[in-house]
Amino acid sequence: MDNKNSILLVDPEFDPNTAEDCDLLLKITPDSLSYAIIDKNSKQLKAVYDEQECTDVPQTLSRRLKNDSYLGLPFKEVKAAVHTENSINIPNELFNAQELNQYAKFFTEEQSANLYTRPFNVFGFTSIFTLQQFTEDMLTGSLNNYKLYAQNASVLTLAAQNSNQALVLDFTAASFNVAYTQNGQLIFQHYYQTDHAEEFNYYLLLIISQLNINTSNTQVYLSGIIDQENTYYKCIQKYFSNIHFNLPFAGEIDQKILDDMPAHYYSSLLALDLCE
């Protein structure tokens, strides 16, 4: 425990010398930082770290990369989902891998010189994104053999598990990602920062109205920092009756270190394990 907003759960039997058999999942949002370590041989979740309400995420990331002994281990593979304002999704029929630079003109934030792509073939598009130079330099200088994803990779992976009409909401302490699907097709995906329940209620009503969502027929799946006593949850209850917590994928890995925690807190983090 580093501060009141962070938690570290570690399997007491985790041997750092087995890191070469483990994958690291790293999720960086504008206000949180979390990671998970999974032993791919034993299929066990060995560690989870989560820090919410970060006032300076790049500084928090820098501190953890320098001081967290687990992040310095030689992992088999690293998957990092990083928030960036420079991210667009191009339908596969329009995507041209030979002309990536033409997409950069749509980016508005200061960016690194590198463009990254990740296909989401289940939804028929390719995500193109860049990172802030400072963040990219930190990751490159500290992590080996890593794959980069835009922050929405987690919520898109969760949304892809639902073939019906579904609204997927993934929360941090001060923001949420949303994806809406119909019959296996992605209709809408966006990221919002929220300071209080009234603001969240406004965004939720806006989403319902703009997308013409039939609230009685829509399944809502929640993950991240939310529970049934949360004011955001009570907002959702006003409009939807079919509400579920998006639990980590049952049977994929042994998650006993989460037994004393709300398991849905880490569903989107662990969903990175399914990203290609």
Side-chain angles (χ1 to χ4, degrees):
M1 184 78 69
D2 286 342
N3 57 53
K4 64 182 179 68
N5 296 324
S6 68
I7 188 170
L8 175 63
L9 305 172
V10 182
D11 183 343
E13 297 181 358
F14 176 45
D15 180 1
N17 292 318
T18 64
E20 292 184 351
D21 297 325
C22 299
D23 284 359
L24 172 69
L25 310 176
L26 180 63
K27 183 182 175 186
I28 304 168
T29 80
D31 58 274
S32 70
L33 171 67
S34 57
Y35 71 73
I37 298 173
I38 299 176
D39 188 312
K40 303 301 285 188
N41 282 352
S42 64
K43 299 187 181 301
Q44 291 181 314
L45 181 61
K46 291 298 184 180
V48 168
Y49 176 82
D50 183 48
E51 184 169 348
Q52 295 290 318
E53 298 181 90
C54 301
T55 57
D56 188 335
V57 172
Q59 188 60 39
T60 301
L61 176 62
S62 177
R63 184 182 72 249
R64 294 235 61 88
L65 289 172
K66 289 177 182 177
N67 301 325
D68 190 323
S69 60
Y70 291 121
L71 292 181
L73 297 174
F75 295 104
K76 180 179 181 180
E77 185 176 62
V78 177
K79 294 181 177 179
V82 185
H83 173 78
T84 172
E85 295 293 336
N86 294 332
S87 179
I88 56 174
N89 300 321
I90 305 297
N92 285 342
E93 60 268 26
L94 302 177
F95 176 69
N96 186 341
Q98 305 303 315
E99 298 183 8
L100 288 183
N101 287 332
Q102 69 175 320
Y103 305 114
K105 63 184 179 183
F106 298 107
F107 297 149
T108 58
E109 300 295 319
E110 185 177 348
Q111 59 194 18
S112 77
N114 297 314
L115 288 173
Y116 301 95
T117 64
R118 287 294 170 195
F120 287 94
N121 291 327
V122 66
F123 292 132
F125 65 78
T126 296
S127 178
I128 305 170
F129 59 98
T130 66
L131 301 184
Q132 291 182 335
Q133 189 67 58
F134 180 61
T135 300
E136 183 181 72
D137 290 344
M138 279 193 294
L139 295 174
T140 301
S142 302
L143 302 175
N144 294 317
N145 191 31
Y146 70 92
K147 294 181 179 178
L148 275 178
Y149 301 84
Q151 180 189 325
N152 62 4
S154 293
V155 74
L156 291 176
T157 299
L158 292 174
Q161 310 306 308
N162 304 298
S163 58
N164 54 2
Q165 187 165 307
L167 187 70
V168 178
L169 299 165
D170 180 49
F171 294 86
T172 70
S175 65
F176 70 99
N177 260 298
V178 57
Y180 177 61
T181 61
Q182 286 183 336
N183 301 319
Q185 299 295 312
L186 181 67
I187 306 301
F188 178 75
Q189 189 277 316
H190 199 62
Y191 161 84
Y192 298 90
Q193 289 183 291
T194 53
D195 293 326
H196 44 71
E198 290 78 11
E199 188 174 20
F200 170 70
N201 190 77
Y202 167 80
Y203 285 132
L204 185 59
L205 281 175
L206 181 65
I207 292 167
I208 293 171
S209 174
Q210 293 294 314
L211 300 179
N212 195 26
I213 294 176
N214 185 331
T215 57
S216 62
N217 294 337
T218 300
Q219 304 290 323
V220 178
Y221 296 92
L222 308 178
S223 59
I225 310 304
I226 189 170
D227 56 52
Q228 290 180 325
E229 301 305 315
N230 187 280
T231 54
Y232 286 23
Y233 186 93
K234 296 183 186 303
C235 286
I236 298 167
Q237 269 188 317
K238 291 191 297 185
Y239 313 109
F240 297 92
S241 57
N242 301 310
I243 306 172
H244 318 272
F245 286 109
N246 230 334
L247 301 180
F249 303 105
E252 295 292 333
I253 57 173
D254 179 349
Q255 304 159 17
K256 64 182 178 182
I257 68 170
L258 300 181
D259 285 350
D260 295 328
M261 298 293 294
H264 66 273
Y265 275 18
Y266 310 109
S267 296
S268 62
L269 172 63
L270 297 178
L272 283 173
D273 192 41
L274 299 184
C275 293
E276 296 297 328

